[in-house]
Amino acid sequence: QVWGSGGRSHSVDLTALGKHGEVYTEGPFACLAWSRSETRLLYVAEKSRPKPRPPCPWDVPGAARLAEEDEDEEGEQFVYRGDWGEALSTRSVPVLCALDLESSSLSVLEGVPEHLSPGQALWSPDDRGVVFVGWWHEPFRLGLSACSNRRSGIFHLDLARGRCELLSAEHGAACSPRLSPDGRRLLYLEGGLGGPHRQCLHLRMLTWQTRQSVTVLDVVQEPTEAFAGLYAETLPLRCWAADSRRAVLGTPQRSRTDLLLVDTEAATVTNLTAGLPEGCWELLTLQWDLLVATCSAPHRPPSLVVAVLPPAGRELPLRWVPVEDAPTVPGVTWKTLTVRPPCSGQSPTAHGAQAFEALLLSPTEGMAPHPLVVCPHGGPHAVFDARWRPSMAALCQLGFAVLLVNYRGSLGFGQASINSLLSHVGEQDVADTQLAVEQALRSEPLDPHRLGLLAGSHGAFIALHLLAREPERYQACALRSPVSNLPALLGTSDIPDWRYASLGLPYSFDRVPRAEEVAAMLLRSPIAQVARVRTPVLLCVGARDRRVSPTQALELYRVLRARGVPARLLWYPEGGHALAGVETEADVFGNCARWLLRYL
């Protein structure tokens, strides 16, 4: 539907036109872009497939085919078609589509090379072409969710000539093209291929007329006080200021997510939100130099705020005006802890002694010392920023303190920190988490005899290692989508490349594991140490998880039960890796909270 000041002007049933399959409304491929003339809309949908012919009652093996045109479809119904993995299982062959509102005609754009999956499209400055991100999908697709290291490029498709031109590096991972208001500059993000599944990124800018690209912001190895690097998955859809020189974007900066103003000509960065009490800022849009954003903190749900961007050079201090304010939630306080690993060679890299952080949420009610719930994040290349998380605030209101650990390898602390975890998973991340726990116990009013673990995915991997290392230390453990058996994931996960990269091993599409590599993965796996676990464990898994097979938890559950350890398995038939959805999230939280209350 298209609406204007006079009401609804157009209503088109796109699927009924039969030109394509399901429209992509979210995820890395999705877009909905106006042409400059506002007469055409650009979007992405699944490529249309011929519907299988319904079987006739007289179809028998060896019977003659009914019609010559059925020959191509014969036997095609159950052919395997690759998709883009976890959370993208219905995304296989995306196509670019253009809807002409004046003629009410719909066309699937031609000219996109066969080896590319297109997405994130926008119109070129003259409306005669389309700029899009193309992901290489040969020889097969690897999982794309939370993976910024997949080969992709920024392309221009000339609609008149049908010519497709690569605008970014040949061997890189580029995304988020954003055209300046004057149509002269194209901003985009670019990262490296392989290695960490998420990373610190370059901010690149292309001059449209000359097709020349420059690096505006480079990868940051070691963070400074002013700038820790770019880690955003995407740029805001509208990030340019009216002057077509400055842009605003949000990115993790250590344990915060801040809004940064980038001067693309001077290649300088100004942090617009540093030092403000809210720990997470997200830009919704920037139009006519009006910034619209949300801000939140661990004890404060998101508030809607606006600000006018001042002229260049006079941006600070920026005056934020609340539009819809959210009050602070009672019973919760928070602080950031800085943790410094010892220099004793815990990690053999030169980076080994760099500090990391943890967020501590504490209840204001009840008698201290409080029981502590320890939460290492998943990923592992992710971050717990200081945003509002209802489940964590709820645990505080139930009387628990909560420690969110950003161990080395987390986003927001420089590329060297991310790289330091490669080949040290199951060691450095586990030691860092335990170090954060020890520091919190020393410095805060916490009960060392009432410790629990609450984590998911790679965080659950860390938690299981902690249970095996110190069997008497933790009294309760609740895990979501746990990683427990690394070699078993080689054939079941949508990201088999990460299993190699995490151990510092090279990956290629035709890779077959060697016996010694499988042995090394098993030695790093919690399942190999499960005989030492004594702590009651709750396991929550989604039957449709493509990232970490639910059979990982099933294997763990069976071994724990056989050894007499209290264990419970919750199996969500429609759940994916994130166990998302209101009903599922509510059930998972309720069960985890009851488990922690029971054993702590």
Side-chain angles (χ1 to χ4, degrees):
Q1 294 185 354
V2 179
W3 290 67
S5 55
R8 190 175 72 183
S9 58
H10 298 80
S11 182
V12 183
D13 187 340
L14 298 172
T15 311
L17 296 175
K19 295 285 187 76
H20 55 66
E22 181 187 356
V23 175
Y24 291 14
T25 56
E26 58 185 358
F29 298 99
C31 64
L32 186 64
W34 284 106
S35 61
R36 296 259 164 163
S37 60
E38 293 193 1
T39 58
R40 289 185 291 172
L41 276 169
L42 186 63
Y43 64 94
V44 177
E46 183 68 16
K47 184 178 180 180
S48 184
R49 287 201 194 108
K51 291 181 180 173
R53 178 173 59 85
C56 293
W58 53 84
D59 274 359
V60 293
R65 292 182 178 126
L66 292 180
E68 193 67 34
E69 60 264 25
D70 286 339
E71 286 192 22
D72 289 341
E73 298 169 29
E74 196 75 29
E76 293 292 306
Q77 186 176 353
F78 298 106
V79 169
Y80 171 76
R81 291 179 174 88
D83 58 55
W84 287 97
E86 174 59 32
L88 299 169
S89 59
T90 60
R91 309 293 188 245
S92 181
V93 186
V95 290
L96 300 177
C97 308
L99 175 67
D100 189 314
L101 293 171
E102 291 182 330
S103 63
S104 294
S105 62
L106 172 62
S107 58
V108 174
L109 303 186
E110 297 180 349
V112 176
E114 286 289 316
H115 64 276
L116 296 177
S117 287
Q120 298 184 17
L122 61 148
W123 297 94
S124 62
D126 55 8
D127 276 0
R128 290 186 292 192
V130 167
V131 176
F132 68 92
V133 177
W135 282 268
W136 273 257
H137 56 229
E138 297 295 344
F140 56 84
R141 295 158 179 80
L142 290 168
L144 191 55
S145 177
C147 295
S148 63
N149 61 347
R150 303 291 180 234
R151 188 182 178 192
S152 56
I154 309 294
F155 292 84
H156 174 241
L157 177 62
D158 186 319
L159 296 178
R161 300 177 188 170
R163 191 166 67 93
C164 196
E165 169 192 12
L166 177 63
L167 302 178
S168 59
E170 174 79 24
H171 294 280
C175 69
S176 279
R178 303 290 183 257
L179 199 60
S180 62
D182 63 10
R184 295 179 179 179
R185 296 167 171 177
L186 187 75
L187 210 57
Y188 61 94
L189 297 170
E190 191 170 73
L193 299 181
H197 61 88
R198 287 191 64 189
Q199 55 198 306
C200 188
L201 302 172
H202 302 269
L203 183 66
R204 302 271 293 166
M205 185 173 69
L206 176 132
T207 302
W208 187 256
Q209 204 66 36
T210 64
R211 297 295 200 264
Q212 295 296 307
S213 291
V214 296
T215 297
V216 179
L217 297 177
D218 214 336
V219 168
V220 172
Q221 294 294 330
E222 302 280 353
T224 64
E225 202 61 43
F227 182 49
L230 287 184
Y231 308 89
E233 286 194 273
T234 58
L235 294 172
L237 277 173
R238 299 184 73 121
C239 62
W240 282 98
D243 58 15
S244 291
R245 169 175 172 163
R246 296 173 296 164
V248 179
L249 53 93
T251 180
Q253 299 288 282
R254 297 184 174 83
S255 298
R256 293 176 56 89
T257 291
D258 283 311
L259 296 183
L260 307 181
L261 178 102
V262 181
D263 186 320
T264 61
E265 290 183 10
T268 56
V269 180
T270 304
N271 193 321
L272 299 176
T273 54
L276 296 178
E278 298 81 12
C280 179
W281 292 75
E282 294 178 301
L283 182 68
L284 301 181
T285 191
L286 168 53
Q287 297 187 54
W288 309 288
D289 284 348
L290 180 71
L291 294 152
V292 183
T294 62
C295 59
S296 72
H299 66 330
R300 185 182 175 191
S303 294
L304 186 66
V305 294
V306 296
V308 174
L309 186 65
R314 302 208 301 265
E315 291 92 357
L316 293 178
L318 201 59
R319 193 172 74 90
W320 292 99
V321 179
V323 176
E324 194 173 277
D325 213 5
T328 297
V329 171
V332 183
T333 62
W334 70 281
K335 63 170 66 172
T336 304
L337 306 180
T338 301
V339 187
R340 301 189 186 281
C343 301
S344 57
Q346 182 175 284
S347 164
T349 64
H351 183 75
Q354 195 214 39
F356 61 95
E357 292 179 349
L359 299 172
L360 179 66
L361 283 64
S362 301
T364 56
E365 308 296 326
M367 292 288 290
H370 302 292
L372 177 66
V373 176
V374 181
C375 306
H377 61 69
H381 303 307
V383 65
F384 275 134
D385 58 5
R387 73 174 60 222
W388 167 252
R389 290 181 173 81
S391 57
M392 300 306 171
L395 286 176
C396 277
Q397 294 200 327
L398 289 172
F400 299 103
V402 180
L403 187 68
L404 308 175
V405 184
N406 288 322
Y407 46 85
R408 284 170 295 167
S410 301
L411 301 179
F413 295 81
Q415 185 62 29
S417 172
I418 292 171
N419 290 340
S420 76
L421 188 56
L422 299 185
S423 76
H424 298 109
V425 295
E427 297 172 351
Q428 178 178 292
D429 43 3
V430 178
D432 283 0
T433 302
Q434 190 56 36
L435 197 63
V437 173
E438 301 296 345
Q439 179 167 320
L441 291 175
R442 282 196 307 271
S443 63
E444 307 295 330
L446 302 168
D447 189 344
H449 304 295
R450 289 189 293 164
L451 299 180
L453 286 157
L454 176 65
S457 195
H458 187 87
F461 169 85
I462 294 172
L464 288 167
H465 271 297
L466 289 170
L467 295 186
R469 284 189 183 190
E470 300 195 55
E472 309 301 325
R473 194 66 196 266
Y474 295 92
Q475 287 72 52
C477 181
L479 305 177
R480 305 176 311 281
S481 313
V483 174
S484 63
N485 187 331
L486 296 181
L489 288 171
L490 286 173
T492 59
S493 175
D494 65 333
I495 53 168
D497 59 313
W498 170 243
R499 301 277 61 92
Y500 292 101
S502 65
L503 296 183
L505 299 170
Y507 174 78
S508 60
F509 281 98
D510 60 354
R511 187 86 149 84
V512 176
R514 302 186 186 96
E516 62 271 20
E517 292 167 347
V518 172
M521 291 180 191
L522 187 59
L523 283 173
R524 295 281 183 92
S525 299
I527 196 73
Q529 323 293 332
V530 72
R532 294 173 52 81
V533 174
R534 302 281 182 271
T535 306
V537 178
L538 171 67
L539 301 164
C540 309
V541 295
R544 296 178 180 267
D545 190 341
R546 299 280 301 282
R547 182 81 18 122
V548 178
S549 170
T551 57
Q552 295 261 312
L554 184 59
E555 177 187 33
L556 186 65
Y557 170 74
R558 286 169 170 168
V559 176
L560 291 173
R561 287 292 298 267
R563 300 188 66 84
V565 177
R568 189 173 187 229
L569 176 62
L570 301 178
W571 190 278
Y572 297 90
E574 301 302 315
H577 187 61
L579 291 172
V582 175
E583 186 180 353
T584 300
E585 285 183 45
D587 193 79
V588 169
F589 173 78
N591 274 286
C592 290
R594 282 189 289 271
W595 193 262
L596 295 170
L597 286 166
R598 176 180 175 185
Y599 288 103
L600 295 186

